[in-house]
């Protein structure tokens, strides 16, 4: 999932489920037409998995909206 910092608007991403027999997935991030331009700091991709028990990893990602 995509976790945005407070105040960040205009971006969406549907959750991604990776089947057990695959090793990767693709997260598509969409910007609305009225999304403000600029960098979004502190955006995070949150990954949850189930392998010998639950696990979660947060990975910060740089995002910049340009038009």
């Amino acid at each position: 999932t995509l976790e945005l910092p407070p105040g960040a608007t205009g971006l969406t991403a549907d959750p991604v489920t990776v089947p057990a027999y695959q090793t990767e997935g693709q997260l598509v991030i969409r910007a609305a037409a009225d999304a403000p331009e600029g960098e979004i700091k502190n955006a995070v991709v949150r990954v949850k998995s189930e392998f010998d028990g639950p696990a979660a990893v947060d990975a910060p990602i740089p995002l910049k909206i340009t038009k």
Side-chain angles (χ1 to χ4, degrees):
T1 60
L2 176 66
E3 301 290 330
L4 296 173
T9 60
L11 293 177
T12 60
D14 294 331
V16 175
T17 300
V18 179
Y21 57 88
Q22 292 185 352
T23 58
E24 60 185 51
Q26 184 174 1
L27 181 68
V28 177
I29 301 170
R30 291 177 294 286
D34 61 349
E37 286 190 71
E39 292 185 13
I40 297 177
K41 298 180 183 202
N42 301 321
V44 171
V45 172
R46 179 162 294 145
V47 179
K48 296 178 183 177
S49 67
E50 187 70 39
F51 182 78
D52 287 338
V57 175
D58 286 353
I61 59 168
L63 290 176
K64 184 175 184 179
I65 300 172
T66 58
K67 295 184 182 184

